[in-house]
Amino acid sequence: MTVHLTNPPRSSGSRVAGLGHYQPPTTLTNDDLVAMGVDTNDEWVQSRVGIAERRFAMDETMLDMAVAAASKAMANSGVSPTDVDLVILATCTGKQQVPGGAAELASRLGIDSPGAYDLNAACAGFVYALNAASNTVTSGQAHTVLVVGSEKLTDYVDLMDRGTGIIFADGAGAAVVTASDSVGIGPVVWGSDGDSAGAITTDAETATLRQEGQSVFRWATSKMGDVALQACAAAGLEPSQLAGFVPHQANLRIIDLIAKKLNAPNVVVARDIITSGNTSSASIPIALSKMLERGEIASGAPVLLVGFGAGLTYAGQVILAP
Ligand code: COA
């Protein structure tokens, strides 16, 4: 006997309905790090990495920041807790392995028994989560999905390690994805390089984050420009048609080299790393949410997102601004 299972009706498209972000109030300059004993200096950090200051969470947990960012994204989208069918939390800095944080996040937001899961693709996590949300919506499995990237990297960073202590920071960004009659989230271009898994990793004994800075820099600058171009092509756009480009905020020199490869001088490029540091999966939604708040990108304009990081993993996708 052949059994036919039914599927829910598909949606023709998905879109980002709104974004929100949260950054902890405590700001540390490079000179503040020097005063704390870090063996560095402001000139080196600004010229090699592009960071002038970053935000560190003090009492806030990763989930506290996720709740704050998600609340703003829901308010900006005009979505209430009863509307949300699924919560995806992109993070690599949860306090414990089990349970993940998505169910508790939903509960703290007053969302009643949605689907809920965590996703760990490190600094590429937000784009992976956005793509998962979009696919879930277009398949008809959910109408409204809350996507959050939240990280408390300072729980895992040895501040005295010159290769990481100056770079990583804390924060959260969120987006609401809903069903749409037209396509507001383009196809993803993604990939990974597991042979280089050791390039960014946490120490098995101490759980401290370590990275091979130079090899990560070479990988990002040699590969991510092509990913950016491929994501534009997959969405059917020339780079010059973009209004904005929001790459993962890892290093200002990496951002500028990828932007150069796009060869689209009129595109607004996110350089939030200067005042926020590297917040892993939170860096793209924080930077994009701030660009929208500043009115730098018009509603409906195409924006390219490119995330990359530990795994190694990467993902690029063009979306239309809410
Ligand atoms: N402050 C001051 N000097 C520093 C320093 C610091 N924090 N870190 C290293 N240096 C010095 C080194 O001692 C060395 O000095 P020397 O030439 O006199 O021997 C010099 O700077 C170069 O050291 P190196 O380790 O080769 O630094 P780098 O130029 O590769 O920069 C990173 C280090 C981490 C900033 C850079 O490799 C990087 O950004 N990589 C990408 C990492 C990344 O994006 N990770 C996240 C991906 S999600």
Side-chain angles (χ1 to χ4, degrees):
M1 184 181 75
T2 307
V3 176
H4 294 286
L5 303 180
T6 55
N7 263 325
R10 295 181 65 84
S11 163
S12 2
S14 60
R15 69 183 182 98
V16 176
L19 284 114
H21 68 277
Y22 172 83
Q23 293 185 279
T26 303
T27 303
L28 282 95
T29 64
N30 298 323
D31 287 338
D32 289 332
L33 296 185
V34 173
M36 292 165 76
V38 183
D39 181 14
T40 192
N41 61 77
D42 180 57
E43 195 280 322
W44 192 93
V45 180
Q46 295 226 34
S47 60
R48 295 288 187 112
V49 194
I51 299 174
E53 59 185 41
R54 72 284 284 148
R55 304 293 187 93
F56 280 9
M58 294 295 150
D59 297 331
E60 301 106 319
T61 65
M62 182 277 289
L63 270 187
D64 293 337
M65 295 188 286
V67 169
S71 302
K72 289 182 192 164
M74 287 164 67
N76 288 339
S77 311
V79 157
S80 69
T82 48
D83 297 322
V84 178
D85 308 310
L86 171 66
V87 175
I88 307 175
L89 173 61
T91 189
C92 57
T93 53
K95 244 321 190 191
Q96 67 270 322
Q97 190 71 24
V98 175
E104 187 181 340
L105 169 62
S107 167
R108 286 179 58 181
L109 290 164
I111 304 170
D112 186 19
S113 52
Y117 65 91
D118 290 22
L119 183 156
N120 181 350
C123 303
F126 181 78
V127 185
Y128 273 81
L130 196 63
N131 184 56
S134 175
N135 288 342
T136 308
V137 164
T138 54
S139 72
Q141 287 289 148
H143 183 275
T144 303
V145 182
L146 176 64
V147 179
V148 184
S150 184
E151 305 285 6
K152 189 171 181 184
L153 284 145
T154 50
D155 277 347
Y156 293 91
V157 167
D158 169 7
L159 207 54
M160 299 304 150
D161 173 3
R162 302 168 106 198
T164 55
I166 53 155
I167 289 174
F168 292 108
D170 304 325
V176 171
V177 174
T178 59
S180 167
D181 291 339
S182 54
V183 177
I185 300 177
V188 75
V189 170
W190 57 13
S192 60
D193 174 10
D195 287 347
S196 303
I200 311 173
T201 180
T202 47
D203 182 279
E205 296 290 314
T206 63
T208 306
L209 199 62
R210 303 279 174 212
Q211 69 172 341
E212 296 163 11
Q214 282 191 10
S215 57
V216 176
F217 188 97
R218 274 196 303 274
W219 169 75
T221 52
S222 62
K223 290 258 165 65
M224 291 310 115
D226 288 338
V227 173
L229 293 173
Q230 287 162 16
C232 290
L237 294 178
E238 293 296 328
S240 59
Q241 293 176 274
L242 295 170
F245 173 43
V246 186
H248 168 47
Q249 304 289 294
N251 179 311
L252 192 58
R253 290 190 294 144
I254 296 176
I255 293 169
D256 287 341
L257 285 164
I258 305 173
K260 195 172 168 195
K261 182 110 185 183
L262 276 179
N263 192 23
N266 295 329
V267 174
V268 182
V269 178
R271 293 189 173 84
D272 189 53
I273 186 164
I274 298 170
T275 53
S276 299
N278 177 341
T279 57
S280 190
S281 73
S283 86
I284 289 176
I286 290 174
L288 178 58
S289 175
K290 287 174 158 179
M291 287 166 102
L292 296 172
E293 271 187 4
R294 290 193 297 263
E296 290 172 5
I297 295 174
S299 176
V303 182
L304 170 64
L305 316 179
V306 177
F308 54 90
L312 299 168
T313 56
Y314 58 87
Q317 190 158 35
V318 176
I319 65 161
L320 301 183

